[in-house]
Amino acid sequence: MASVTRARRNRPTREEIVRRLVEAVENELSTGTPYTEISVQRIAEQARIARSTFYLHFPDKSRLLITVADEALQGLFDAATAWWAADHADGPAGVERAMTAMLRVYRAHPKVLPALAEVSCYDYEVASYWLGKVGAFVDTEQRRLEKEQRAGTVSVDLDCANTARLLAAMVERTISLHCAASGPEADPAVAKALARSIWLTIYG
């Protein structure tokens, strides 16, 4: 019985297996390989598990990509949501700090958002996941804009729903395109430009 107990203790936990799989996907993406071309067998080999073990935890690569995105990109939403929940007494400087934090998270996982965009073009589950994440954030923005409107700090002419969508798309596209084209030394200027654009759009 002791040998059986030892074998069970040496077996990796689900958390460990998921961590290995997430790392394996990010390593493969970092080589420039499109997600569609990364096989389950290759991911399993990188994670040091059997292919059958992969399928014990994930039904397919799409579900794994969603987990990778949750692990890698939560900081993007956390940084932005924290700013939207703040009192904004620090002006554009507070937005700039949020944009700097978002750029830092994106730099740490530069291939995940492009992989989501790639797969969401043909995979309904991945598309629904990403639209749900963005939609929830847009709702947060819209509620704050409406609150500011009621308080008289935002123009009554502001279209809160469409402005929220515009701001979310602007930040996501700007960060994605910027990180693909420029190094981190250019991040402070982009954070400042985004902060000014966001602040003027809301309070200008």
Side-chain angles (χ1 to χ4, degrees):
M1 291 299 295
S3 60
V4 173
T5 302
R6 265 197 308 275
R8 285 175 178 168
R9 285 176 179 169
N10 291 333
R11 187 179 302 162
T13 63
R14 171 178 169 76
E15 289 74 18
E16 170 66 13
I17 289 171
V18 170
R19 184 188 65 77
R20 289 188 199 174
L21 288 167
V22 169
E23 289 178 355
V25 169
E26 292 217 56
N27 288 339
E28 287 294 303
L29 289 173
S30 70
T31 67
T33 306
Y35 192 70
T36 50
E37 296 179 15
I38 305 173
S39 68
V40 170
Q41 181 62 40
R42 179 62 180 159
I43 294 170
E45 288 173 357
Q46 285 271 2
R48 306 184 309 282
I49 62 171
R51 192 168 183 269
S52 58
T53 302
F54 173 96
Y55 285 113
L56 285 175
H57 298 278
F58 295 98
D60 51 39
K61 286 198 307 176
S62 296
R63 178 53 62 178
L64 175 58
L65 180 59
I66 289 170
T67 299
V68 171
D70 268 341
E71 292 273 339
L73 299 178
Q74 188 57 46
L76 282 175
F77 293 99
D78 288 346
T81 300
W83 181 76
W84 281 98
D87 62 13
H88 299 179
D90 50 1
V95 202
E96 188 175 341
R97 284 192 293 274
M99 295 301 103
T100 299
M102 292 180 76
L103 282 160
R104 190 181 306 117
V105 173
Y106 192 98
R107 288 284 184 195
H109 310 278
K111 301 297 183 179
V112 175
L113 271 181
L116 278 172
E118 170 201 352
V119 177
S120 64
C121 290
Y122 66 87
D123 188 289
Y124 175 79
E125 187 176 19
V126 173
S128 295
Y129 159 79
W130 184 237
L131 288 173
K133 293 286 281 189
V134 174
F137 179 66
V138 169
D139 288 345
T140 296
E141 292 180 302
Q142 182 177 340
R143 286 194 299 272
R144 176 57 185 264
L145 292 174
E146 290 168 347
K147 179 180 178 181
E148 296 273 11
Q149 240 177 12
R150 291 191 297 272
T153 52
V154 163
S155 170
V156 294
D157 296 326
L158 186 75
D159 181 337
C160 295
N162 284 315
T163 299
R165 295 188 190 100
L166 179 151
L167 290 173
M170 177 183 74
V171 172
E172 187 274 322
R173 280 289 79 199
T174 299
I175 288 178
S176 180
L177 293 172
H178 163 68
C179 289
S182 306
E185 69 282 354
D187 289 358
V190 170
K192 185 179 288 294
L194 277 170
R196 185 173 187 274
S197 297
I198 292 166
W199 189 265
L200 290 177
T201 298
I202 299 171
Y203 299 110

